[in-house]
Amino acid sequence: MNHRVAKVHPDDNVLVALTDLQKGEKVFYNSNEYFVSDAVPAKHKFVIDDLQPGDPITMYGVLVGKAQSAIPKGGLISTSNVKHAANGFEVGERKLMWPKPDVSKFQNKTFLGYHRADGKVGTANYWLVIPMVFCENRNLDVLRESLVNELGYGGNVTNKIQVSKLIDLYKTGRTIDDILNADVAIQQQEAKKQRLFPNVDGIKFLTHTGGCGGTRQDAQALCGLLAGYITHANVAGATVLSLGCQNAQVQMLQDEIQKRDPGFSKPLYVLEQQKIGSESDLISGAIKQTFAGLVQANSIQRQPAPLNKLCIGLECGGSDGFSGISANPAIGFTSDLLVALGGSVILSEFPELCGVEQNLSDRCVSTDIAKRFSYLMKTYSERATAVGSGFDANPSPGNIKDGLITDAIKSAGAAKKGGTSPVADVLDYPEPVTKQGLNLLCTPGNDVESTTAEVASGANVVLFTTGLGTPTGNPIAPVVKLSSNTKLFRKMHDIIDIDTGAIIEGEETIEQAGERIFDYVIKVASGEIEVSAVRHGQDDFIPWKRGVSL
């Protein structure tokens, strides 16, 4: 059934416009009648009672702001009349009861994955080439040029813009308007080469700007992150290039690898330029060793694996006012399904948990874990405030334009990705997941930094919700993009994989969407579906330096 407005939680004093509402329009919700005193765009909210300055704004059942001026019943809330506010939190009693979903439909299902010696199972099979320091990035570019196309990893299609047509227009004296209005098609050309190694999904080059020049803590965190990728279930082995004199020493990386996998046995080739000498010898050696590693990686084939070997990262970016009532709770139900089956999920982006800390703290399985969550949240918040940019500065202009006017509104909706299960563990960046269940990982709200970290911690599939659209992907883990609304899905269909807009339209329940998403995840994990981010080669990779990033 279609509705024009929605109330997210019984205690809320705002209603969400599901479609554009005109000033003076009469709407109904649960037999109550409301006159809209301002025009309310879809995704935005209006109050259901008269509010005075200082009165609380409640949504998702939590405090998300306070009125800064009088707001009449039916009035639009905006950044001009509402300011961010959130309740404090403390370590209280454990509240571990949860509505565990029926998983009988999935109980005997498996996915086809790559089994590793440490017991993990990958949803893909990649070879990595990694620099220990930014000084080696150019050498990675040389290796990429030498290996990718020759081995058939240039992608299924290559896009070529017809620049030659623009050159001809310029040479013949045509105007700027002629050039701007020219029909310049993007031609898709089939890749000429077939993959030499059909069981290897690709060679990924993790260039970055770290490794030296920062703090020693930066170097340690970078090595932990890189170790997370090398030991990842989706990785068969790695080639590592080191200059030699940088802060991020190879031994530091090897120590981090041992922390994550004491019996590490994957092929790992390390080349140090200052020891080898000539650049040509370095490149030659790296190419030969990488090729040898690919031969070994190609011997691994997909085999059935139980669903509890899945570890799903939960991410959102370019969020809108519908994200927290469609896409996010839908993947929250998917999360609960996987947890009930014995798998793992990762909820990150700590600046976007502001205002819902008490609920998450109460769900931690032990007081010690709750205390760690409290420490990480408060320390992060204090560091942000110290540089003049607290969590309240998190919403982007796009978020605000589409209804997320305070960080607490954004956070309350973002936290829905984590479902309702108990919090099994709280991790600091870049620690790995070691426990089944819901894991909270301290990362920024920055989409790429957070996705990069979730994969380093073990996510072998990422569910990424968006209301505005974003192409974000990852080098080694498939990032499934989900739209919060059907309009976005139709507009940006080439980068969105799943639409949850039917929830907004009243045509699908959150539970139905969550099960549909889980079915899709199983197919992605088995290599049956290539998601848009993989198809487009969207290999976003940004390590987080432990400064303030929202």
Side-chain angles (χ1 to χ4, degrees), residues 114 116 122-127 199-202 233-237 297-302 476:
Y114 294 94
R116 308 299 181 187
T123 62
N125 193 33
Y126 288 103
W127 187 269
N199 294 328
V200 181
D201 292 297
N234 290 5
V235 171
N298 192 55
S299 66
I300 306 170
Q301 298 186 19
R302 290 184 182 270
I476 65 168

Side-chain angles (χ1 to χ4, degrees), residues 277-502:
S278 76
E279 191 170 277
S280 61
D281 287 344
L282 174 75
I283 298 298
S284 175
I287 289 175
K288 288 185 288 186
Q289 292 185 1
T290 299
F291 194 92
L294 291 168
V295 172
Q296 297 175 70
N298 192 55
S299 66
I300 306 170
Q301 298 186 19
R302 290 184 182 270
Q303 301 291 337
L307 297 183
N308 63 14
K309 292 296 184 179
L310 289 174
C311 179
I312 295 179
L314 309 168
E315 189 67 32
C316 57
S319 299
D320 70 347
F322 286 162
S323 293
I325 59 178
S326 60
N328 289 350
I331 69 170
F333 190 75
T334 305
S335 303
D336 283 349
L337 288 171
L338 182 56
V339 170
L341 289 163
S344 302
V345 294
I346 305 173
L347 179 64
S348 57
E349 301 178 289
F350 273 28
E352 295 176 12
L353 301 179
C354 177
V356 293
E357 297 100 331
Q358 191 64 62
N359 172 268
L360 292 169
S361 175
D362 292 345
R363 287 163 57 188
C364 290
V365 295
S366 72
T367 300
D368 286 344
I369 291 174
K371 287 179 178 179
R372 193 176 199 217
F373 174 61
S374 175
Y375 170 77
L376 290 173
M377 281 295 296
K378 290 179 178 179
T379 301
Y380 197 163
S381 178
E382 289 167 0
R383 288 176 178 173
T385 301
V387 296
S389 188
F391 285 175
D392 59 300
N394 176 265
S396 70
N399 295 151
I400 294 168
K401 180 182 177 182
D402 272 50
L404 302 178
I405 64 169
T406 73
D407 185 53
I409 291 177
K410 183 178 181 181
S411 295
K416 293 294 180 182
K417 302 193 300 292
T420 60
S421 68
V423 175
D425 207 359
V426 173
L427 309 173
D428 194 9
Y429 176 90
E431 292 176 338
V433 168
T434 60
K435 297 179 181 178
Q436 294 176 318
L438 173 60
N439 292 259
L440 303 182
L441 172 65
C442 182
T443 75
N446 177 296
D447 305 345
V448 178
E449 288 177 330
S450 181
T451 302
T452 299
E454 286 187 343
V455 175
S457 290
N460 50 16
V461 177
V462 176
L463 293 178
F464 192 119
T465 68
T466 182
L468 305 176
T470 172
T472 303
N474 182 266
I476 65 168
V479 178
V480 182
K481 220 67 59 51
L482 305 98
S483 65
S484 70
N485 61 91
T486 301
K487 182 179 179 180
L488 171 65
F489 181 73
R490 290 171 178 165
K491 180 181 180 182
M492 305 182 78
H493 59 88
D494 58 332
I495 64 169
I496 306 293
D497 303 296
I498 297 176
D499 178 30
T500 64

Side-chain angles (χ1 to χ4, degrees), residues 117-380:
D118 61 359
K120 297 175 184 176
V121 180
T123 62
N125 193 33
Y126 288 103
W127 187 269
L128 294 183
V129 183
I130 294 176
M132 292 301 301
V133 63
F134 54 81
C135 308
E136 292 297 323
N137 283 346
R138 177 190 168 277
N139 288 329
L140 259 71
D141 291 338
V142 173
L143 291 175
R144 182 187 288 112
E145 291 174 4
S146 302
L147 291 167
V148 171
N149 289 328
E150 283 298 312
L151 296 178
Y153 294 111
N156 294 328
V157 296
T158 56
N159 294 327
K160 181 179 180 181
I161 299 177
Q162 296 299 291
V163 178
S164 58
K165 185 172 182 178
L166 301 181
I167 294 172
D168 290 340
L169 290 173
Y170 173 72
K171 286 182 175 180
T172 55
R174 304 299 286 272
T175 67
I176 293 294
D177 286 341
D178 291 334
I179 291 172
L180 291 175
N181 292 321
D183 181 14
V184 180
I186 297 179
Q187 292 185 337
Q188 292 188 329
Q189 299 177 325
E190 293 295 330
K192 295 180 180 179
K193 293 182 179 293
Q194 296 296 316
R195 290 182 181 176
L196 180 64
F197 303 114
N199 294 328
V200 181
D201 292 297
I203 312 168
K204 298 299 180 177
F205 301 81
L206 305 187
T207 55
H208 56 80
T209 60
C212 204
T215 66
R216 294 299 189 269
Q217 290 82 359
D218 289 339
Q220 192 75 49
L222 175 64
C223 286
L225 183 83
L226 297 178
Y229 275 74
I230 292 171
T231 59
H232 195 279
N234 290 5
V235 171
T239 303
V240 176
L241 300 190
S242 169
L243 179 59
C245 57
Q246 70 277 347
N247 287 344
Q249 287 287 297
V250 169
Q251 186 60 54
M252 189 182 291
L253 174 66
Q254 291 173 334
D255 290 344
E256 291 289 343
I257 289 172
Q258 287 298 309
K259 286 181 187 178
R260 288 158 176 78
D261 183 7
F264 181 76
S265 59
K266 293 178 182 178
L268 180 66
Y269 303 113
V270 180
L271 299 97
E272 189 165 296
Q273 187 169 5
Q274 290 173 346
K275 285 184 179 178
I276 293 172
S278 76
E279 191 170 277
S280 61
D281 287 344
L282 174 75
I283 298 298
S284 175
I287 289 175
K288 288 185 288 186
Q289 292 185 1
T290 299
F291 194 92
L294 291 168
V295 172
Q296 297 175 70
N298 192 55
S299 66
I300 306 170
Q301 298 186 19
R302 290 184 182 270
Q303 301 291 337
L307 297 183
N308 63 14
K309 292 296 184 179
L310 289 174
C311 179
I312 295 179
L314 309 168
E315 189 67 32
C316 57
S319 299
D320 70 347
F322 286 162
S323 293
I325 59 178
S326 60
N328 289 350
I331 69 170
F333 190 75
T334 305
S335 303
D336 283 349
L337 288 171
L338 182 56
V339 170
L341 289 163
S344 302
V345 294
I346 305 173
L347 179 64
S348 57
E349 301 178 289
F350 273 28
E352 295 176 12
L353 301 179
C354 177
V356 293
E357 297 100 331
Q358 191 64 62
N359 172 268
L360 292 169
S361 175
D362 292 345
R363 287 163 57 188
C364 290
V365 295
S366 72
T367 300
D368 286 344
I369 291 174
K371 287 179 178 179
R372 193 176 199 217
F373 174 61
S374 175
Y375 170 77
L376 290 173
M377 281 295 296
K378 290 179 178 179
T379 301
Y380 197 163

Side-chain angles (χ1 to χ4, degrees), residues 26-168:
K26 181 169 61 176
V27 295
F28 295 88
Y29 185 80
N30 280 356
S31 301
N32 294 317
E33 182 178 272
Y34 301 94
F35 286 91
V36 181
S37 57
D38 297 302
V40 182
K43 308 178 185 180
H44 285 260
K45 297 90 185 167
F46 64 89
V47 297
I48 59 176
D49 297 302
D50 291 327
L51 297 183
Q52 298 301 315
D55 283 350
I57 305 291
T58 303
M59 190 174 175
Y60 298 97
V62 299
L63 176 67
V64 295
K66 289 188 176 181
Q68 296 301 291
S69 58
I71 308 175
K73 181 179 180 179
L76 171 73
I77 64 170
S78 67
T79 53
S80 65
N81 60 17
V82 172
K83 187 175 182 180
H84 166 85
N87 285 322
F89 66 101
E90 59 185 19
V91 176
E93 296 181 3
R94 304 299 89 220
K95 298 178 181 179
L96 306 181
M97 296 296 293
W98 65 295
K100 193 173 181 179
D102 178 9
V103 293
S104 55
K105 174 182 175 181
F106 300 97
Q107 198 72 57
N108 297 317
K109 286 194 174 184
T110 60
F111 72 98
L112 293 176
Y114 294 94
H115 292 248
R116 308 299 181 187
D118 61 359
K120 297 175 184 176
V121 180
T123 62
N125 193 33
Y126 288 103
W127 187 269
L128 294 183
V129 183
I130 294 176
M132 292 301 301
V133 63
F134 54 81
C135 308
E136 292 297 323
N137 283 346
R138 177 190 168 277
N139 288 329
L140 259 71
D141 291 338
V142 173
L143 291 175
R144 182 187 288 112
E145 291 174 4
S146 302
L147 291 167
V148 171
N149 289 328
E150 283 298 312
L151 296 178
Y153 294 111
N156 294 328
V157 296
T158 56
N159 294 327
K160 181 179 180 181
I161 299 177
Q162 296 299 291
V163 178
S164 58
K165 185 172 182 178
L166 301 181
I167 294 172
D168 290 340

